[in-house]
Each structure stands twice: as C-alpha cells, then as structure tokens.
Short mmCIF file of all heavy atoms in Angstrom, two decimals:
data_model
loop_
_atom_site.label_atom_id
_atom_site.label_comp_id
_atom_site.label_asym_id
_atom_site.label_seq_id
_atom_site.Cartn_x
_atom_site.Cartn_y
_atom_site.Cartn_z
N GLY A 117 10.12 4.92 2.42
CA GLY A 117 10.88 4.48 3.59
C GLY A 117 11.21 3.00 3.50
O GLY A 117 11.85 2.58 2.54
N ASP A 118 10.76 2.22 4.53
CA ASP A 118 11.00 0.75 4.42
C ASP A 118 9.64 0.05 4.42
O ASP A 118 9.54 -1.12 4.87
CB ASP A 118 11.85 0.29 5.58
CG ASP A 118 11.30 0.66 6.91
OD1 ASP A 118 10.19 1.30 6.98
OD2 ASP A 118 11.89 0.37 7.97
N THR A 119 8.61 0.73 3.95
CA THR A 119 7.24 0.18 3.95
C THR A 119 6.57 0.32 2.56
O THR A 119 6.76 1.35 1.89
CB THR A 119 6.41 0.91 4.99
OG1 THR A 119 7.04 0.89 6.24
CG2 THR A 119 5.02 0.30 5.14
N VAL A 120 5.79 -0.66 2.20
CA VAL A 120 4.98 -0.58 1.01
C VAL A 120 3.54 -0.83 1.44
O VAL A 120 3.25 -1.71 2.27
CB VAL A 120 5.44 -1.55 -0.08
CG1 VAL A 120 5.42 -3.02 0.43
CG2 VAL A 120 4.53 -1.44 -1.35
N SER A 121 2.60 -0.03 0.95
CA SER A 121 1.19 -0.24 1.29
C SER A 121 0.37 -0.56 0.04
O SER A 121 0.68 -0.10 -1.04
CB SER A 121 0.59 1.01 2.00
OG SER A 121 0.47 2.05 1.05
N PHE A 122 -0.59 -1.45 0.23
CA PHE A 122 -1.45 -1.89 -0.84
C PHE A 122 -2.93 -1.49 -0.45
O PHE A 122 -3.41 -1.88 0.57
CB PHE A 122 -1.39 -3.42 -0.99
CG PHE A 122 0.00 -3.90 -1.29
CD1 PHE A 122 0.94 -4.10 -0.33
CD2 PHE A 122 0.38 -4.12 -2.69
CE1 PHE A 122 2.25 -4.56 -0.63
CE2 PHE A 122 1.67 -4.51 -2.95
CZ PHE A 122 2.57 -4.71 -1.95
N ARG A 123 -3.50 -0.64 -1.35
CA ARG A 123 -4.84 -0.10 -1.07
C ARG A 123 -5.81 -0.54 -2.13
O ARG A 123 -5.54 -0.41 -3.36
CB ARG A 123 -4.78 1.42 -1.03
CG ARG A 123 -6.01 2.13 -0.56
CD ARG A 123 -5.88 3.64 -0.68
NE ARG A 123 -4.83 4.16 0.12
CZ ARG A 123 -5.00 4.72 1.34
NH1 ARG A 123 -6.25 4.85 1.86
NH2 ARG A 123 -4.00 5.18 2.05
N ALA A 124 -6.97 -1.08 -1.70
CA ALA A 124 -8.01 -1.46 -2.68
C ALA A 124 -9.38 -1.03 -2.19
O ALA A 124 -9.56 -0.89 -1.00
CB ALA A 124 -8.01 -3.00 -2.86
N THR A 125 -10.28 -0.77 -3.07
CA THR A 125 -11.62 -0.27 -2.71
C THR A 125 -12.68 -0.64 -3.75
O THR A 125 -12.31 -0.87 -4.91
CB THR A 125 -11.63 1.27 -2.50
OG1 THR A 125 -12.91 1.67 -2.05
CG2 THR A 125 -11.32 1.99 -3.88
N ASP A 126 -13.90 -0.78 -3.27
CA ASP A 126 -14.99 -0.96 -4.20
C ASP A 126 -15.99 0.22 -4.02
O ASP A 126 -17.15 0.20 -4.39
CB ASP A 126 -15.75 -2.25 -3.97
CG ASP A 126 -16.45 -2.34 -2.59
OD1 ASP A 126 -16.35 -1.41 -1.80
OD2 ASP A 126 -17.11 -3.35 -2.34
N LEU A 127 -15.52 1.34 -3.40
CA LEU A 127 -16.18 2.53 -3.05
C LEU A 127 -17.06 2.42 -1.82
O LEU A 127 -17.46 3.40 -1.26
CB LEU A 127 -17.04 3.09 -4.20
CG LEU A 127 -16.25 3.44 -5.50
CD1 LEU A 127 -17.17 4.00 -6.59
CD2 LEU A 127 -15.15 4.44 -5.23
N ASP A 128 -17.32 1.23 -1.33
CA ASP A 128 -18.03 1.03 -0.07
C ASP A 128 -17.11 0.52 1.03
O ASP A 128 -17.27 0.85 2.18
CB ASP A 128 -19.15 0.02 -0.27
CG ASP A 128 -20.28 0.54 -1.09
OD1 ASP A 128 -20.61 1.74 -0.96
OD2 ASP A 128 -20.89 -0.23 -1.85
N ILE A 129 -16.10 -0.26 0.64
CA ILE A 129 -15.04 -0.79 1.55
C ILE A 129 -13.71 -0.37 1.03
O ILE A 129 -13.48 -0.38 -0.18
CB ILE A 129 -15.13 -2.28 1.63
CG1 ILE A 129 -16.48 -2.81 2.06
CG2 ILE A 129 -14.07 -2.83 2.62
CD1 ILE A 129 -16.59 -4.33 2.00
N GLU A 130 -12.84 -0.03 1.93
CA GLU A 130 -11.44 0.26 1.57
C GLU A 130 -10.53 -0.54 2.54
O GLU A 130 -10.75 -0.51 3.75
CB GLU A 130 -11.16 1.75 1.66
CG GLU A 130 -9.70 2.07 1.32
CD GLU A 130 -9.33 3.58 1.53
OE1 GLU A 130 -9.13 3.90 2.72
OE2 GLU A 130 -9.32 4.30 0.59
N VAL A 131 -9.56 -1.24 1.97
CA VAL A 131 -8.58 -1.96 2.81
C VAL A 131 -7.22 -1.44 2.50
O VAL A 131 -6.88 -1.24 1.31
CB VAL A 131 -8.70 -3.49 2.65
CG1 VAL A 131 -8.31 -3.95 1.26
CG2 VAL A 131 -7.88 -4.20 3.71
N VAL A 132 -6.42 -1.17 3.51
CA VAL A 132 -5.01 -0.78 3.33
C VAL A 132 -4.16 -1.75 4.14
O VAL A 132 -4.30 -1.91 5.36
CB VAL A 132 -4.76 0.67 3.83
CG1 VAL A 132 -3.33 1.10 3.58
CG2 VAL A 132 -5.72 1.65 3.22
N ASP A 133 -3.24 -2.42 3.42
CA ASP A 133 -2.35 -3.39 4.08
C ASP A 133 -0.89 -2.93 3.91
O ASP A 133 -0.46 -2.71 2.79
CB ASP A 133 -2.54 -4.73 3.35
CG ASP A 133 -2.14 -5.92 4.22
OD1 ASP A 133 -1.21 -5.72 5.04
OD2 ASP A 133 -2.76 -6.97 4.17
N LYS A 134 -0.21 -2.76 5.05
CA LYS A 134 1.18 -2.32 5.05
C LYS A 134 2.12 -3.49 5.25
O LYS A 134 1.81 -4.41 6.00
CB LYS A 134 1.43 -1.29 6.13
CG LYS A 134 0.68 0.03 5.84
CD LYS A 134 0.95 1.01 7.00
CE LYS A 134 0.22 2.33 6.72
NZ LYS A 134 0.11 3.15 7.89
N ALA A 135 3.27 -3.49 4.54
CA ALA A 135 4.24 -4.59 4.68
C ALA A 135 5.60 -3.98 4.64
O ALA A 135 5.90 -2.95 4.03
CB ALA A 135 4.01 -5.61 3.61
N ALA A 136 6.58 -4.69 5.25
CA ALA A 136 7.97 -4.28 5.22
C ALA A 136 8.53 -4.64 3.87
O ALA A 136 8.28 -5.72 3.32
CB ALA A 136 8.76 -4.97 6.36
N ALA A 137 9.38 -3.73 3.34
CA ALA A 137 10.00 -4.00 2.02
C ALA A 137 11.31 -3.21 1.97
O ALA A 137 11.57 -2.28 2.71
CB ALA A 137 9.06 -3.56 0.89
N MET A 138 12.18 -3.63 1.02
CA MET A 138 13.39 -2.84 0.76
C MET A 138 13.14 -1.91 -0.39
O MET A 138 13.03 -2.32 -1.56
CB MET A 138 14.55 -3.81 0.38
CG MET A 138 14.99 -4.69 1.57
SD MET A 138 16.09 -6.00 1.06
CE MET A 138 14.98 -7.22 0.43
N VAL A 139 12.89 -0.62 -0.06
CA VAL A 139 12.50 0.39 -1.09
C VAL A 139 13.74 1.05 -1.60
O VAL A 139 14.40 1.77 -0.87
CB VAL A 139 11.50 1.37 -0.47
CG1 VAL A 139 11.07 2.39 -1.55
CG2 VAL A 139 10.24 0.61 0.07
N GLU A 140 14.06 0.89 -2.89
CA GLU A 140 15.19 1.53 -3.49
C GLU A 140 14.78 2.96 -4.01
O GLU A 140 15.54 3.88 -3.94
CB GLU A 140 15.68 0.75 -4.69
CG GLU A 140 16.57 -0.40 -4.33
CD GLU A 140 17.12 -1.12 -5.55
OE1 GLU A 140 17.63 -0.44 -6.46
OE2 GLU A 140 17.00 -2.39 -5.64
N ARG A 141 13.55 2.97 -4.58
CA ARG A 141 13.06 4.26 -5.09
C ARG A 141 11.58 4.40 -4.71
O ARG A 141 10.76 3.54 -5.05
CB ARG A 141 13.22 4.24 -6.64
CG ARG A 141 13.09 5.60 -7.25
CD ARG A 141 13.58 5.64 -8.73
NE ARG A 141 12.86 4.71 -9.60
CZ ARG A 141 13.38 3.69 -10.19
NH1 ARG A 141 14.67 3.35 -10.02
NH2 ARG A 141 12.63 2.90 -11.01
N ALA A 142 11.24 5.45 -3.93
CA ALA A 142 9.86 5.63 -3.49
C ALA A 142 9.04 6.00 -4.72
O ALA A 142 9.48 6.48 -5.73
CB ALA A 142 9.81 6.75 -2.47
N GLY A 143 7.70 5.75 -4.53
CA GLY A 143 6.80 6.06 -5.63
C GLY A 143 5.47 5.35 -5.49
O GLY A 143 5.25 4.68 -4.49
N ALA A 144 4.62 5.46 -6.48
CA ALA A 144 3.24 4.87 -6.36
C ALA A 144 2.72 4.55 -7.78
O ALA A 144 3.03 5.29 -8.68
CB ALA A 144 2.33 5.73 -5.61
#
C-alpha cells in the first residue's frame, strides 16, 4: 500500500516500526 514496516528481533524482544512510503512494487 503506502506503508513500509521494519521488523527486528533478538527472539526475546520484537520491534515493528511502520512508516509512510511511496511503494511502487509491494514485497519483502
């Protein structure tokens, strides 16, 4: 859509940060 998310973990903590972006092609 118009969002990109960044997910990181050390298996005990997980953080997900979402930000607005111009997405031409969805994917991961």
Side-chain angles (χ1 to χ4, degrees):
D118 57 359
T119 305
V120 58
S121 70
F122 299 84
R123 185 186 299 261
T125 185
D126 66 358
L127 299 182
D128 289 324
I129 304 174
E130 178 186 79
V131 66
V132 183
D133 203 327
K134 292 180 180 164
M138 291 169 280
V139 179
E140 281 183 50
R141 195 166 61 243

